[in-house]
Amino acid sequence: MTTTFPSVSISTDRLVMRPFDMADIPAYIEMMNDETVTAWTDGPHPYTQVDAERWVRRIAPGERTSGHGIALAVTEFLTQRLVGTVRLLNTDWRTLATEVRYITAPWARGEGYATEAVLAVAEWLFRDQGFERIELRTPADNTAAQQVAQKLGCISEGVLRNARIARTRTEDGGWTDIRTDLIVWGLLPEDLEGVAEQLADAGGYGTYNDWN
């Protein structure tokens, strides 16, 4: 039984999802130090050159080779600029299910890039890899992430109470941890039927803040 994803590049009209390389490091550091990304992710803060090199050299490749999932850099097709990331994790090879997380760089928000990237990865998972389920877990106050799930046709399946630690600014300008509920969304192959066409009919992937 296959227990690792292949090294893959996935393209859309606007985007390329591919493995990270060293040239991504400056843009990746900038994205990971954005306040919104800091609030909703659990990466180190401040995010340093050492953190980024560890991610590109060891952690991201290890996601795939260990069978845990896969981490893809999302870039603009025309400019090759780093748009964000799509990451599959907690993969269950017996049930053919995995969780997806996504981040969008500040400059790229409002263009529907997260929806486009996750849709392309989901189509690849269902069509080429034979997967049967994708799960998204969005913090209760992260409405932008919830919009992405809704655009993709995900079904809200429930709430995990107090299940995630996020971060918020303190009065002195620092950061402190807070607990938040997680909304669980499920996406099955049949849920994607007609989604791409509906998005096209609606004028594309929409304009909203799709950052995590």
Side-chain angles (χ1 to χ4, degrees), residues 90-163:
N90 300 323
T91 303
D92 187 326
W93 292 96
R94 182 172 179 273
T95 62
L96 295 174
T98 191
E99 181 183 346
V100 64
R101 295 181 187 173
Y102 38 91
I103 303 171
T104 303
W107 70 268
R109 293 170 191 160
E111 300 296 331
Y113 282 141
T115 305
E116 184 171 346
V118 177
L119 176 60
V121 171
E123 290 176 335
W124 170 73
L125 273 173
F126 291 148
R127 182 186 62 239
D128 297 344
Q129 301 300 306
F131 267 60
E132 297 291 342
R133 174 179 168 84
I134 299 172
E135 187 172 292
L136 291 76
R137 299 185 174 195
T138 61
D141 292 330
N142 190 338
T143 56
Q146 293 161 32
Q147 286 180 313
V148 173
Q150 291 165 348
K151 288 277 186 179
L152 291 166
C154 298
I155 304 301
S156 177
E157 298 177 337
V159 176
L160 301 176
R161 296 180 299 162
N162 248 12

Side-chain angles (χ1 to χ4, degrees), residues 20-22 25 51-61:
F20 279 85
D21 61 43
M22 296 300 289
I25 285 178
D51 296 322
E53 290 184 4
R54 184 183 299 117
W55 169 258
V56 172
R57 293 180 185 273
R58 182 170 60 83
I59 299 175

Side-chain angles (χ1 to χ4, degrees), residues 28-29 43-56 59:
Y28 190 67
I29 293 172
H45 181 75
Y47 202 88
T48 68
Q49 179 82 18
V50 171
D51 296 322
E53 290 184 4
R54 184 183 299 117
W55 169 258
V56 172
I59 299 175

Side-chain angles (χ1 to χ4, degrees), residues 30 68 92 165 168 201:
E30 181 180 358
H68 188 63
D92 187 326
I165 295 176
T168 189
D201 291 343

Side-chain angles (χ1 to χ4, degrees), residues 15-21 24-25 27-29 31-32 37 41 47 55-56 60 63 70-76 81-89 100-109 113-119 121 148 210-212:
L15 302 173
V16 177
M17 282 68 71
R18 55 157 177 79
F20 279 85
D21 61 43
D24 297 320
I25 285 178
Y28 190 67
I29 293 172
M31 180 180 72
M32 293 303 292
V37 175
T41 65
Y47 202 88
W55 169 258
V56 172
E63 292 283 287
I70 192 170
L72 298 171
V74 182
T75 62
E76 275 193 325
R81 190 175 181 185
L82 185 70
V83 166
T85 67
V86 172
R87 181 182 179 190
L88 304 178
L89 67 164
V100 64
R101 295 181 187 173
Y102 38 91
I103 303 171
T104 303
W107 70 268
R109 293 170 191 160
Y113 282 141
T115 305
E116 184 171 346
V118 177
L119 176 60
V121 171
V148 173
D210 46 7
W211 26 256
N212 182 32

